Amino acid sequence: MASKSQTYVKACINGARTPDQHPDLPVTPEQLAAAALAAHEAGAQAVHMHPKGADGVDSLDADIVGAAVAAVRHTAPGLPLGVTTGFWALPDAERRLRAVEKWTVLPDFASVNWHEPGAEELAQLLLSKGLGVEVGIFHAEAAESWAASEVAPHCLRVMIELQGDGDTDTADTLLDIVRSAESPAPVLLHGLDESCWPLLKHAGLRHLQTRIGLEDTLLLPDGSMAPDNAALVATAVDLLSR
């Protein structure tokens, strides 16, 4: 289903959260596939997910990533699909690189947080495998480093990712730095928990891409618990369409 909004909305369906935080947090390949399809039908143009082991913890293992990607591909063919490479999933730069190198069932894109150790080498590896790179920018130092890098002209997307205390002034400062790179990559802005909905609205005002899902917030704008990812996406599409 196409979004009613002119703003690109991506669904981030689970993140590093664990199942004890929300009863509908998708973990298994089948759950990820169902959540991805529902989010797409609610208006999301793409999906970002964190493949997880049986314990509900993020994993970069090739078998786990492959099973998750294959399940979503089967259920929602053609839906642009991305995965995390978060350092927390394998906190060793060289081992992380080797783990991603072993991926054979590939998503369309993967996120790389630029402030993490080994980010540039990892981004180069992903590009060599034909994957799109979504670079995650958390602060000004990372933005400036990325803007000066050889990777900047080749990224699929630049994500300005603010924590719960992030505000629109910080977002605009980072946006200026990102745009100074003159990269052709579109910019996506999103927040986390308390900053999630205000920054989503700001993304709409700035004509930036944005995202929503249980990774970024468990709550609807009125403070009530969101039943699932599809409800969050539908609410975001409605807000951005006004």
Side-chain angles (χ1 to χ4, degrees):
M1 173 184 294
S3 168
K4 289 181 270 187
S5 169
Q6 295 302 306
T7 301
Y8 181 103
V9 178
K10 181 175 65 175
C12 48
I13 59 178
N14 59 353
R17 298 188 194 270
T18 50
D20 58 303
Q21 295 177 267
H22 192 283
D24 200 56
L25 188 85
V27 172
T28 68
E30 295 75 19
Q31 290 169 345
L32 290 167
L37 179 61
H40 180 48
E41 290 176 340
Q45 289 101 314
V47 165
H48 165 77
M49 66 181 182
H50 291 209
K52 296 177 182 288
D55 57 0
V57 175
D58 290 2
S59 175
L60 303 183
D61 179 83
D63 290 339
I64 291 173
V65 172
V69 170
V72 176
R73 290 266 192 259
H74 176 75
T75 302
L79 175 64
L81 175 64
V83 301
T84 187
T85 64
F87 194 70
W88 58 85
L90 189 54
D92 179 292
E94 183 62 27
R95 290 179 60 206
R96 179 171 68 159
L97 201 65
R98 299 287 79 83
V100 173
E101 196 171 43
K102 293 177 182 176
W103 290 0
T104 55
V105 181
L106 300 178
D108 298 296
F109 54 89
S111 60
V112 178
N113 297 323
W114 200 252
H115 65 279
E116 293 177 348
E120 186 158 2
E121 293 81 2
L122 179 57
Q124 295 284 12
L125 172 63
L126 292 167
L127 290 170
S128 75
K129 293 172 77 71
L131 299 185
V133 171
E134 291 189 309
V135 62
I137 302 296
F138 282 54
H139 46 63
E141 183 181 357
E144 290 164 355
S145 171
W146 169 80
S149 75
E150 295 181 359
V151 171
H154 306 291
C155 289
L156 172 71
R157 183 176 294 110
V158 184
M159 297 187 295
I160 295 175
E161 306 192 76
L162 300 186
Q163 301 304 301
D165 59 353
D167 57 29
T168 57
D169 288 343
T170 302
D172 288 342
T173 297
L174 293 180
L175 180 60
D176 287 342
I177 299 172
V178 165
R179 285 180 168 164
S180 73
E182 298 184 349
S183 170
V187 179
L188 182 151
L189 170 65
H190 75 92
L192 177 69
D193 294 328
E194 295 89 345
S195 69
C196 179
W197 290 109
L199 289 177
L200 181 139
K201 293 177 184 177
H202 193 62
L205 292 173
R206 290 293 188 186
H207 305 291
L208 304 175
Q209 296 185 359
T210 192
R211 73 179 208 184
I212 195 69
L214 292 175
E215 173 169 357
D216 290 345
T217 183
L218 303 179
L219 304 178
L220 294 168
D222 64 4
S224 63
M225 181 69 72
D228 52 28
N229 281 289
L232 288 168
V233 171
T235 301
V237 169
D238 179 63
L239 283 174
L240 293 166
S241 299
R242 294 177 185 176

